[in-house]
Amino acid sequence: MIEFNDLEEIVFLIKKQFGYDFEGYSRASFLRRINRYMELSGMKTAFHLKNDLINYPENFNTFISEIVVNVSAFFRDPDFFKSLLVNVFPYLESYPKINVWSAGCSFGEETYSLSILLKEMSLLGKSRLYATDISTNALDKSKKGIYSNKDFKEYSANYFSSGGKECFNQYFVSDGEKSIISSELKKDILFSRHNLVTDGVFKECQLILCRNVLIYFNEDLQNKVFELFYESLPIHGFLALGNKETLRFSSIQDKFKIIDSKQKIYQKIK
């Protein structure tokens, strides 16, 4: 396993070899995830890891998928989605076109949850959803939209707690073990790889969600991403963060007003 003093060289190697910049990531979290990857891959030392990164670049997608934490569920944190329905979606109704960016979309559950609620609010027809992630493995799973049925009881409960109005299962086609999301809900979603650290503005969007991603970034990197989101939002656009994230003390704090302090939903005001 590696130690803290090995990290700088590994961060430099990853940036030079693959263009991924982990300089601003929390060192403790980064070290923990790398050591987990090494354990799963049977690597013993920093030399083995560097040799793998240099000589077997085809393994990098697996590496990224392990380093970047992907935790997701349909309608995760139902009170957050309920707040979107009450505080954000009615405002979006006034737009002729609605662009929504789900940044750090993981395996797609959040994006498809948004698609379901937009459909029930009769907004899906004028909406375009952009789902991005740093992990191509996560994006591949998101695009397929296939999920195990074992968690669907929980998902259905979350859906109704979020303000869902129909039968959750009607949005899927199931074979008894797995379910695939309805093609109607997939057709207005563009899945694309995007690195929040190194890539620029993705699209001007009326709503941006980036939940539980920035907790792994240090303060400087968080501010860099906040500036990216600021540039991607029009005046009166909405930004939603995770429950452990905040705009307080950020470089753009005074450019937003709080819509829901508990659910971390903000609106750009200047």
Side-chain angles (χ1 to χ4, degrees), residues 175-213:
D175 65 2
E177 294 184 1
K178 295 181 179 181
S179 295
I180 184 169
I181 195 79
S182 163
S183 58
E184 179 186 8
L185 296 173
K186 294 174 70 173
K187 66 183 178 67
D188 292 310
I189 302 175
L190 174 65
F191 291 97
S192 179
R193 196 187 76 77
H194 184 275
N195 187 337
L196 290 171
V197 179
T198 58
D199 294 338
V201 171
F202 186 78
K203 181 80 175 180
E204 184 177 85
C205 294
Q206 284 72 42
L207 170 61
I208 298 175
L209 298 91
C210 185
R211 304 173 65 226
N212 306 309
V213 175

Side-chain angles (χ1 to χ4, degrees), residues 87-103:
N87 297 308
V88 177
F89 282 13
Y91 190 93
L92 296 181
E93 284 181 325
S94 62
Y95 287 94
K97 294 289 183 181
I98 303 169
N99 290 325
V100 180
W101 180 11
S102 175

